Amino acid sequence: MNIKTSKCFLLSGFFLITSAASAQTDLKLWYNKPAENWNEALPIGNGRVAAMIFGNPSIERVQLNEETVWAGGPHNNVNPDAKEVVPELRKLIAEKKYIEAQALANAKMFSKQNGMQYQTVGSLYIKFPGHESVQDYYRDLDISNAISSVSYTVNGIHYKREMLASFTDQAIIIRLTADKPGSITCDLSMHSPMRSNKVNTSNGKLILKGNGESRSGIDGAIKFQAQVKALNEGGSQSQGDTLLSIKNANSLTVYISMGSNFKNYHDVSGDAEERTTTFLNQALKKTYPELLKDNIAFYQRYFNRVNFELGKNPASDKPTNERIRDFASGNDLGLVPLFYQFGRYLLISCSQPGNQAANLQGKWNELNSPPWGGKYTININTEMNYWPAEETNLTELTEPLIHLIKDLSVTGRESASKMYNARGWMAHHNTDIWRISGQVDGAYYGIFPTGGAWLTQHLWEHYLYTGDKAYLKEVYPVLKGASMYFVDALQEEQSHHWLVVSPSMSPEHNFLRDQTVGAISLTEGTTMDNQIVFDLFSNTIAAAKALNTDQAFSDTLSRKRALLPPMHIGKWGQLQEWLDDMDKKGDTHRHISQLFGLYPGKQVSPYKHPELTEAAKNILISRGDPSTGWSMGWKVNFWARELDGDHAFELLKQELKPAPIWKGKIEGGGGTYPNLFDAHPPFQIDGNFGCTAGITEMLLQSYDGDIHLLPALPSAWPSGSIKGIVARGGYVIDMDWDNGQITKLVILSKLGGNCRLRLHNLLQSAGKELVQAKGGNPNPFYAVDDIKAAVIADASQLHGLNFDKGKVFDLQTTAGKRYTFIAK
C-alpha cells in the first residue's frame, strides 16, 4: 500500500465534537500510517465489549472482544489431594528441609488445571476497492472523547472513519463518510479463529456464531454471537452468503453487537442470540449523531473529573510512536499527561459497573490462548489494574473488582476447607471468569495462599475514599471470611514462636536451587505474607470498629496480629524477602514482593520508619530500574513513596521507551508499544495502570496520616497543575504549582472532618485558616496502625536518609464545602 502524507494536514488533524468542560490539550494518540500489527492498533471499549482499530485504508480490521468469551465452563480447580500433603509440607518447612518440601510439593501438590483463557470473538473486515494508494493519511484515538478516527484522500475524495464503543447503547459503531456523494463502496465480512464458528448473513445482517473452547478436560460452555448491521445513506446494499456489500453510498453507519449465554460464574443458561439482538436493536434506535452525543456525555462524566497539565511542548506535533521513541532523550513533558490520562481512558473503557473486572489485558485480546491466559493474576497484576481507580476519581469503576472478590469469597471456601482444612475463604495466585480458587502453575508458582487476602485491600480502600458505611456493611463478611482463613491457617514458627503462613512463597521467586529438584520457592513467613496478613487483620478490625460490630472477633485478630513476625533488615542493609537473610545482592527479579508494605501497603513510612524506608531503597537499587513493564510501573510507585521524584521519573522514562514488537516469543525487556500499551512483553495492561497510579503518588499521597502534597515532584516538572485527584477521606484536590511550589490549592471536602495537610511551602486563605497540627489525626480515615520495630542485622550498615518533612497543618472541614488557598 502506498501512503503519502501531508504535513499541513497532519498538524491540523480533525475536529471532533468536544465538551466545553474538557479544557485539556494534546490528548490524542495519532499516527501518519496504519497499524502494521496488533500492538499498533488503537483500543476502544465500553466496559463489556472492546475493539482494536487498525486503520488500513484498503482493508479495515476491527478486532472484537466480548468480556464473557472464555474457554471452559463453570468449575473450580481445587485439588483435594493437597489436604494430606499440607501438614507434611509444614513439618518439613519448619525443619528447614526446603529441598525435601519442594520435591514433595512438586510430586503431590500439583495443579488440577491452570485456569481458563480469555478468548477473542474474531474480527470484522471492511474492504474498500481502489483504496490501496492514498494521500494525507491520518489516524488517531482522541481520549478526551473516546473516539478513534481514520482519514485519507483517494483520487481527490476525502474519506473519514469514526469508531466508538457505545457505553449507553452497548454496540461498536463505525461511521464512514466522504466529501463527494456516492463514493463509499465496500464489502463487510467476518472471521473468527475459534475452532467452532460459523459466519452467515440473514435479514440484512452479518452474523458470527461461535463457542468458547474446551481446555484441560473442561468443556467449552460459552456460546456467543456477533451481529453486524450496516445502514447506508444513498447507494445500494446487497448480501451474499457471508458478505454484506455496499455500493456508491453517500455515508455508512455500521453497528456491531456482541453477547453470550454467560449469566454468572456458575450459570451459562443465557441466550446469546437474544442478548446480541437486543443490544443491536437498542443501538439501531438512534442515529449516529445521537449515539455520538450520548456516548461522549457518558464518557466525559468520568474522564473530565481529572485535568493534568505539565505545559505544552512542540513535541506533541509529532506522531505518538515518534514521541515514545524520543521521550527518554528529549523534553516532551506533554507525553506524561497523555500517558497518565490514557491509563484512565483504559480503565473507563474496560471496567464499568455491572461488567467483569479488567483482566490481564483489560478487555483487548486477539488470541484464543493469550499469554498467561489473559486471566486474573492476583499476586499483583489484577490488584495493580485498580490502583488508580480511587485516587484518579474513578471510584465507581471498582465495582467489577468488588464483585469478583465477592464471588471468590464463595468459591474460595472450597480451597480453604479442602486444601488447608480451614474455615473462611482463600485464593492462590490466579483466578478466571469461573472464579477458580485452587492453585495453578504447579508448586513453584502456584502455592501462594495470600492472593485473595491481597484483593481484599481494595474493599477497605474503597471505604476509605468514599466513607460509604452501607457498602462496608455489605463487604464486611468478605473481609471477615478472609481473616477467618488465616486465624485457622497460621502456623507457629519454631525459633521465635511467631505466627506465619506455611506453606507459601514469595511470588514467582526462589531463594535456592537444587540440581535434582530445581528452583526452591516454598518456605514460611515470607515478608509479603506477613505484610498482607497484617494489612488484612488491621482492615478487618477497623471495619468492625466503623460498623460497631464483632468485638470478639476483632479481639482475636488483634491477638493474632501481635504474633506476626516483624520486618527484617539484612546483612547488606536490605529489607529481607524471607525470614532468613537470603537475599542476593544484584538480583534483578521483577517481583519485589517484600516492598508490599511500602506500596500498595502503608507499613513503611519515611517519617515513622526511616530505617525500613532506607532498607527498601537498598532493595530497589539492587534490583535496578529496567525490568518488565508492569514491574517498572510498580517501581514508579515505590520511588514516589521513597519521596524521590527524580528517580520515579527515571522509571517513567524506562517505561516510555519503545518496546520490542512481540512475534510469538518474549523479546527483551519492558517498555511501551506504539499504541501506548504496556509491554511485559508481550502486552499486559497492568503497567499502564501502575504508571497512572505512580504519577498520582508523585503528586499526592494520603496513606500516612495526612495528605502530602507534591511529595515526590521531579525537578523536571517545575510547573504544572492537576485537578480532581482524590485523597482518602473524600478530599478532592486541585493544585497549581510553579518553581516546585504550590501556588493555588482548592480542596473539596465530600465527607467533612479534619483535613491534615503536609506542605512544603506556606499557604494562606481569605477564609478558613490552616493551623499547626498537633498529635494524631482525629480523622478516622487517617488512622495509622503501629507496626513492630524492625529486626536489624548487626552488619546492615544503615546510613540514614534525609527527607524534607515540610510542615503539617490541620483544616476543619464541612462536607460539601470547598476551601481555597494561595501561596504566601
Side-chain angles (χ1 to χ4, degrees):
M1 179 178 62
N2 179 24
I3 295 177
K4 299 178 182 178
T5 62
S6 165
K7 184 62 176 176
C8 179
F9 179 86
L10 292 174
L11 294 181
S12 64
F14 288 94
F15 177 77
L16 296 176
I17 296 174
T18 59
S19 164
S22 180
Q24 301 175 78
T25 58
D26 301 329
L27 291 183
K28 289 184 180 181
L29 289 67
W30 75 270
Y31 309 83
N32 54 20
K33 61 179 182 178
E36 295 181 0
N37 55 67
W38 195 85
N39 295 296
E40 295 181 357
L42 295 173
I44 59 174
N46 67 6
R48 186 183 68 85
V49 298
M52 295 291 284
I53 310 299
F54 285 70
N56 189 306
S58 60
I59 305 178
E60 177 64 89
R61 179 188 176 193
V62 182
Q63 185 265 311
L64 301 169
N65 287 103
E66 199 275 354
E67 65 177 1
T68 63
V69 178
W70 287 67
H75 73 289
N76 203 346
N77 69 332
V78 170
N79 184 353
D81 297 339
K83 183 183 275 191
E84 303 302 320
V85 182
V86 167
E88 193 172 351
L89 283 177
R90 287 172 172 162
K91 181 175 182 296
L92 290 171
I93 289 170
E95 296 169 353
K96 298 188 184 299
K97 296 179 179 178
Y98 301 122
I99 296 174
E100 293 89 338
Q102 191 74 51
L104 175 63
N106 291 350
K108 294 189 176 182
M109 198 168 172
F110 52 86
S111 305
K112 190 172 182 181
Q113 57 91 352
N114 290 323
M116 294 296 136
Q117 291 77 29
Y118 178 54
Q119 300 189 304
T120 182
V121 168
S123 295
L124 170 70
Y125 293 92
I126 310 176
K127 184 176 181 180
F128 300 87
H131 290 209
E132 292 77 20
S133 179
V134 305
Q135 295 176 312
D136 299 335
Y137 181 88
Y138 173 93
R139 69 183 174 106
D140 71 15
L141 173 63
D142 183 346
I143 63 171
S144 64
N145 293 299
I147 301 170
S148 179
S149 70
V150 177
S151 300
Y152 56 86
T153 300
V154 176
N155 297 326
I157 302 171
H158 182 66
Y159 292 87
K160 185 174 183 180
R161 307 170 193 168
E162 289 183 345
M163 290 144 285
L164 60 91
S166 173
F167 292 93
T168 54
D169 296 284
Q170 292 301 308
I172 305 292
I173 310 296
I174 304 171
R175 175 69 171 176
L176 307 175
T177 58
D179 65 1
K180 180 181 178 182
S183 297
I184 297 176
T185 295
C186 59
D187 293 329
L188 286 71
S189 62
M190 298 194 80
H191 175 266
S192 175
M194 290 289 196
R195 293 188 182 94
S196 176
N197 78 88
K198 179 183 178 181
V199 178
N200 68 289
T201 57
S202 177
N203 297 321
K205 294 192 293 189
L206 182 62
I207 301 171
L208 166 64
K209 299 178 182 179
N211 295 339
E213 297 182 351
S214 302
R215 292 285 193 276
S216 303
I218 307 296
D219 290 338
I222 291 296
K223 301 180 187 302
F224 67 86
Q225 274 202 21
Q227 298 181 10
V228 178
K229 183 73 172 179
L231 299 184
N232 52 295
E233 298 169 29
S236 63
Q237 179 175 161
S238 61
Q239 68 180 50
D241 291 340
T242 60
L243 200 71
L244 295 179
S245 295
I246 311 297
K247 288 188 177 181
N248 303 324
N250 301 326
S251 62
L252 179 69
T253 306
V254 180
Y255 299 75
I256 310 167
S257 70
M258 290 174 275
S260 83
N261 61 331
F262 180 92
K263 285 190 171 181
N264 57 53
Y265 71 92
H266 54 80
D267 185 351
V268 290
S269 64
D271 188 319
E273 181 175 0
E274 181 182 34
R275 289 197 77 197
T276 308
T277 302
T278 298
F279 289 136
L280 181 63
N281 290 339
Q282 176 182 332
L284 285 168
K285 292 177 182 177
K286 294 183 180 180
T287 64
Y288 178 72
E290 291 172 332
L291 289 163
L292 180 62
K293 179 182 176 182
D294 291 349
N295 197 62
I296 291 175
F298 181 98
Y299 170 76
Q300 289 185 346
R301 276 175 32 209
Y302 294 106
F303 186 79
N304 285 353
R305 293 173 184 175
V306 172
N307 186 307
F308 178 29
E309 302 275 0
L310 287 177
K312 291 183 67 66
N313 190 289
S316 62
D317 292 335
K318 295 189 298 185
T320 304
N321 56 308
E322 294 181 16
R323 298 178 73 181
I324 296 169
R325 180 197 65 197
D326 299 338
F327 183 72
S329 59
N331 188 34
D332 182 9
L333 290 184
L335 187 58
V336 176
L338 178 64
F339 190 48
Y340 177 88
Q341 293 284 29
F342 183 64
R344 295 183 68 246
Y345 165 81
L346 291 175
L347 191 58
I348 296 168
S349 301
C350 74
S351 184
Q352 284 290 315
N355 296 143
Q356 296 296 314
N359 62 46
L360 203 59
Q361 294 183 265
K363 298 290 168 65
W364 296 276
N365 162 51
E366 67 171 339
L367 303 172
N368 280 356
S369 294
W372 306 284
K375 301 191 296 289
Y376 299 101
T377 305
I378 58 175
N379 67 3
I380 182 172
N381 310 97
T382 301
E383 293 88 347
M384 197 173 193
N385 285 357
Y386 286 89
W387 285 350
E390 303 290 353
E391 61 189 9
T392 74
N393 220 330
L394 298 174
T395 185
E396 304 95 323
L397 305 191
T398 62
E399 190 273 344
L401 179 68
I402 292 167
H403 190 75
L404 180 152
I405 299 167
K406 288 179 180 178
D407 288 348
L408 271 180
S409 73
V410 177
T411 61
R413 295 172 196 161
E414 189 176 1
S415 49
S417 62
K418 291 185 178 181
M419 295 182 69
Y420 298 98
N421 197 30
R423 297 171 296 168
W425 71 275
M426 61 82 64
H428 293 82
H429 96 287
N430 256 243
T431 190
D432 57 19
I433 200 170
W434 311 114
R435 307 312 192 227
I436 61 170
S437 61
Q439 71 180 88
V440 308
D441 299 332
Y444 173 58
Y445 285 106
I447 304 178
F448 176 67
T450 47
W454 186 345
L455 283 172
T456 65
Q457 184 190 58
H458 291 266
L459 301 181
W460 177 242
E461 287 291 313
H462 185 68
Y463 171 71
L464 290 183
Y465 280 88
T466 64
D468 185 344
K469 283 195 176 180
Y471 152 80
L472 185 63
K473 185 177 181 180
E474 179 185 320
V475 299
Y476 176 74
V478 181
L479 285 165
K480 182 176 181 178
S483 294
M484 182 73 76
Y485 168 77
F486 288 101
V487 166
D488 289 358
L490 289 173
Q491 303 294 303
E492 186 175 291
E493 178 264 349
Q494 292 185 351
S495 299
H496 303 88
H497 306 290
W498 292 320
L499 292 181
V500 296
V501 181
S502 178
S504 189
M505 59 169 298
S506 195
E508 304 184 27
H509 205 189
N510 66 81
F511 55 86
L512 187 65
R513 296 195 72 87
D514 177 75
Q515 287 186 343
T516 302
V517 178
I520 310 299
S521 63
L522 289 189
T523 185
E524 63 181 7
T526 69
T527 298
M528 172 177 263
D529 281 345
N530 303 332
Q531 293 168 340
I532 289 177
V533 175
F534 180 94
D535 190 79
L536 170 64
F537 284 0
S538 298
N539 295 344
T540 306
I541 292 167
K545 182 179 179 181
L547 295 170
N548 194 26
T549 190
D550 232 352
Q551 185 62 53
F553 186 64
S554 292
D555 291 343
T556 297
L557 295 184
S558 294
R559 289 192 296 271
K560 295 281 186 180
R561 184 179 62 178
L563 295 172
L564 295 172
M567 283 179 262
H568 286 60
I569 298 174
K571 57 182 177 290
W572 51 274
Q574 86 283 10
L575 184 55
Q576 289 179 198
E577 189 163 2
W578 297 277
L579 274 181
D580 293 331
D581 195 349
M582 300 184 290
D583 299 279
K584 300 177 181 67
K585 199 169 186 178
D587 172 13
T588 59
H589 198 271
R590 62 196 178 278
H591 285 262
I592 316 180
S593 301
Q594 67 268 45
L595 299 193
F596 171 91
L598 178 64
Y599 187 92
K602 47 188 177 183
Q603 297 164 43
V604 178
S605 158
Y607 303 123
K608 298 181 178 66
H609 320 112
E611 72 289 343
L612 287 171
T613 306
E614 182 179 356
K617 181 177 181 179
N618 290 338
I619 277 289
L620 286 169
I621 292 171
S622 177
R623 292 288 175 95
D625 292 343
S627 189
T628 56
W630 68 262
S631 179
M632 292 191 292
W634 197 5
K635 290 174 184 177
V636 174
N637 290 273
F638 286 148
W639 283 107
R641 288 281 176 95
E642 289 279 346
L643 307 183
D644 191 337
D646 287 339
H647 206 135
F649 188 37
E650 285 302 314
L651 262 300
L652 277 176
K653 290 179 181 178
Q654 290 284 341
E655 185 75 59
L656 280 167
K657 68 180 182 184
I661 298 299
W662 186 60
K663 299 177 181 177
K665 62 180 180 179
I666 304 298
E667 297 181 21
T672 299
Y673 291 116
N675 60 4
L676 282 185
F677 271 167
D678 166 70
H680 179 285
F683 163 56
Q684 281 188 197
I685 204 166
D686 41 22
N688 290 100
F689 295 136
C691 284
T692 295
I695 292 168
T696 312
E697 288 287 318
M698 294 162 73
L699 302 175
L700 179 148
Q701 297 176 16
S702 64
Y703 74 98
D704 197 23
D706 55 48
I707 300 173
H708 192 171
L709 301 178
L710 302 186
L713 184 70
S715 56
W717 304 357
S719 302
S721 69
I722 191 160
K723 295 176 171 58
I725 54 176
V726 186
R728 291 165 178 84
Y731 298 104
V732 183
I733 306 295
D734 297 351
M735 282 187 292
D736 298 296
W737 67 91
D738 190 33
N739 293 321
Q741 295 193 330
I742 296 173
T743 55
K744 184 178 180 181
L745 171 67
V746 179
I747 301 171
L748 168 63
S749 177
K750 289 190 170 183
L751 304 176
N754 187 62
C755 178
R756 178 162 290 184
L757 301 172
R758 187 179 293 270
L759 304 171
H760 296 278
N761 66 288
L762 297 179
L763 302 176
Q764 61 185 356
S765 170
K768 198 120 180 181
E769 291 298 321
L770 299 172
V771 297
Q772 195 81 33
K774 295 180 180 179
N777 189 343
N779 190 324
F781 297 110
Y782 283 82
V784 177
D785 298 298
D786 293 330
I787 65 168
K788 290 181 177 179
V791 175
I792 304 176
D794 292 339
S796 64
Q797 297 183 343
L798 295 178
H799 302 292
L801 298 174
N802 293 317
F803 300 105
D804 176 8
K805 294 184 178 181
K807 293 185 177 181
V808 183
F809 300 91
D810 281 344
L811 171 69
Q812 297 301 320
T813 69
T814 301
K817 289 194 174 182
R818 293 182 188 272
Y819 302 86
T820 301
F821 301 88
I822 59 173
K824 278 191 175 182

